[in-house]
Amino acid sequence: MIVQAESPILEVHDLIVSYEQSPVLWNVDLTLPQGQLIGILGPNGAGKSTLIKAIMGLVNPTGGFVKIFDKSLEEVRSRISYVPQRESVDWNFPASVLDVVMMGTYGKLGLFRRPGKKEKEIALASLDKVGMSAFINRQISELSGGQQQRVFLARALAQDADLYLMDEPFAGVDMATETAIFELLKQMTQEGKTVIVVHHDIYSAMNYFNWIIMLNLHLVASGPKEIVVTEELLRKTYGGKLNLLSKVSELVRKQSFNPLKS
Ligand SMILES: Nc1ncnc2c1ncn2[C@@H]1O[C@H](COP(=O)(O)OP(=O)(O)O)[C@@H](O)[C@H]1O
Ligand SMILES: [Mg+2]
């Protein structure tokens, strides 16, 4: 079930991406609204990272195209923040925590301005938001996986973008930090920013996101959570494990009757 967004911020049309001849994304076609917290769900190898990379122009599609803010990617790149999957990054690169987060502010600086006091303040505030203030001078190679992930989130926050694409940003991050950061992301969407997150845990996804994309090489669903999270579509996305999946859709159904939910 594909729900189209009115005046979409991001459009993906007939997207096909192949690695070594074999397609991993088949005709993905969706439009996404502005100012929403959007979750991408799907099993391992479903093409979630590939979809994000295609949106960022990091892989070349075999077919189809992507449009962001109704413009080409080059025109809007500085308004987009990308958090890659932690495993895909070289953490032995010599840089301190503060350096990495400061890098997030560079896009707004233009070519000839050096980062100064203001940028440092932004970086420090962002590190504070993810609870990493105590580590500013630490080399990134000397952090735990969860801490590295939080530094990456801080860098994205420092960037102050309009569109965020985050690939499993909570892998290895403790539950309290995850919840706190989701609260932050929610605030950002209330300010009109759009946040797209690949998320591995379907239970917490039901609490966090208001728009859900389900992917398994083909696009199974894209739309408001209350509409697209059904047992049938979850089964189509994940295959078996029926008990688990019926529990999830039941959870969503209950929530949609709760007037206090966000
Ligand atoms: N650079 C690559 N070269 C070849 N195959 C790849 C490459 N990257 C991903 N794949 C394959 O494409 C499929 C989708 O991968 P990916 O987008 O990383 O899935 P997900 O993020 O949902 O786990 C997987 O089968 C993966 O092995
Ligand atoms: Mg992935």
Side-chain angles (χ1 to χ4, degrees), residues 126-212:
S126 304
L127 280 162
D128 186 46
K129 286 177 184 162
V130 301
M132 285 294 288
S133 296
F135 298 89
I136 55 174
N137 294 318
R138 184 79 67 88
Q139 287 294 301
I140 53 166
S141 58
E142 294 165 351
L143 299 172
S144 76
Q147 291 170 334
Q148 290 174 337
Q149 198 68 73
R150 285 195 272 163
V151 170
F152 248 34
L153 282 159
R155 188 181 71 151
L157 298 178
Q159 201 173 333
D160 189 26
D162 295 314
L163 172 64
Y164 288 84
L165 296 159
M166 303 181 163
D167 200 346
E168 306 217 21
F170 298 102
V173 173
D174 62 274
M175 202 57 199
T177 309
E178 178 179 307
T179 313
I181 293 173
F182 259 108
E183 214 33 64
L184 218 80
L185 298 180
K186 200 161 125 193
Q187 271 171 32
M188 285 158 54
T189 60
Q190 281 156 3
E191 291 159 15
K193 296 169 185 291
T194 307
V195 182
I196 304 177
V197 181
V198 176
H199 195 64
H200 56 279
D201 176 25
I202 43 178
Y203 281 102
S204 57
M206 295 309 133
N207 290 322
Y208 294 145
F209 301 111
N210 32 33
W211 187 287
I212 300 258

Side-chain angles (χ1 to χ4, degrees), residues 19-20 24 43-50 85:
Y19 296 115
E20 292 138 17
V24 298
N44 281 335
K48 303 182 296 296
S49 296
T50 302
Q85 239 175 314

